[in-house]
Amino acid sequence: MNSSSPSPPDSINIWRTWALTVTYEAGEYTGQKFKAEKTGGGPVIPSPNLDTDLVMACDRLADVLIKASKNPIQMQMDIARYSKLISPKDTGHNEHREARLLERCPPGHEGKRLVDEPAIILDASSAIIAWYLPDALTDTTQKEIREATDLLAPSFKKSVRADGNW
């Protein structure tokens, strides 16, 4: 019987599996917590695989998501129409092209608006264009996300072809 420790590739695979599992469970918990708080549902019990700091970070994210959902900012722009008019070649550097796009799809607001609290930006049909979530992730959470992403880098490299397609 070989009692040696796992080879480095096995260790990396264990860490990748762990990172994916924890990420999935944290996402599920946050989503359930968000839905429960939004709909007035009962308490959500986190997975025992999530440590206290991560549960607190998920709770913080759910709280910011709830605040954003209660602060919609309606735009008059039709994002579906706009997305049909643009192409990957639109870099924002062709002034004539940008002027034509702006004429065909005006932003639908007067002036600028400072957004300094969590909000969702909606288009004319109430489709969510963007979420603004300041302070949703702690510095520690951001650091852990970067570290987990680094663990997944080999998988990411295999999933994207050289031509940039998935």
Side-chain angles (χ1 to χ4, degrees):
M1 181 170 161
N2 185 352
S3 63
S4 65
S5 63
S7 64
D10 290 339
S11 299
I12 291 170
N13 285 332
I14 289 168
W15 281 109
R16 269 192 237 144
T17 301
W18 171 84
L20 287 171
T21 301
V22 169
T23 301
Y24 174 79
E25 290 182 2
E28 285 293 302
Y29 171 69
T30 305
Q32 291 170 6
K33 179 109 175 155
F34 173 74
K35 288 176 190 166
E37 288 189 26
K38 191 168 181 170
T39 61
V44 177
I45 308 299
S47 164
N49 294 329
L50 305 178
D51 66 36
T52 304
D53 289 339
L54 184 53
V55 170
M56 290 172 53
C58 291
D59 289 343
R60 177 178 176 161
L61 175 57
D63 290 343
V64 174
L65 289 167
I66 289 293
K67 287 177 185 172
S69 70
K70 292 179 178 178
N71 186 24
I73 299 171
Q74 188 86 41
M75 303 280 293
Q76 296 309 308
M77 158 185 236
D78 181 346
I79 198 70
R81 180 171 181 242
Y82 181 73
S83 67
K84 289 177 185 172
L85 295 173
I86 62 172
S87 78
K89 295 178 183 177
D90 291 321
T91 61
H93 297 290
N94 182 332
E95 289 183 29
H96 177 70
R97 173 86 174 130
E98 293 300 312
R100 279 190 18 199
L101 281 172
L102 198 55
E103 183 181 297
R104 292 177 75 185
C105 293
H109 62 80
E110 295 178 20
K112 296 179 181 177
R113 179 174 175 182
L114 175 66
V115 180
D116 61 350
E117 58 188 37
I120 53 174
I121 313 301
L122 308 173
D123 80 347
S125 69
S126 295
I128 298 174
I129 299 173
W131 290 77
Y132 177 63
L133 307 170
D135 301 321
L137 302 176
T138 64
D139 290 341
T140 301
T141 301
Q142 291 178 48
K143 178 179 177 269
E144 289 172 354
I145 289 170
R146 280 190 296 276
E147 289 170 355
T149 303
D150 290 344
L151 287 173
L152 297 171
S155 297
F156 290 152
K157 286 179 184 172
K158 290 178 187 174
S159 70
V160 179
R161 297 191 312 249
D163 62 3
N165 292 319
W166 296 84

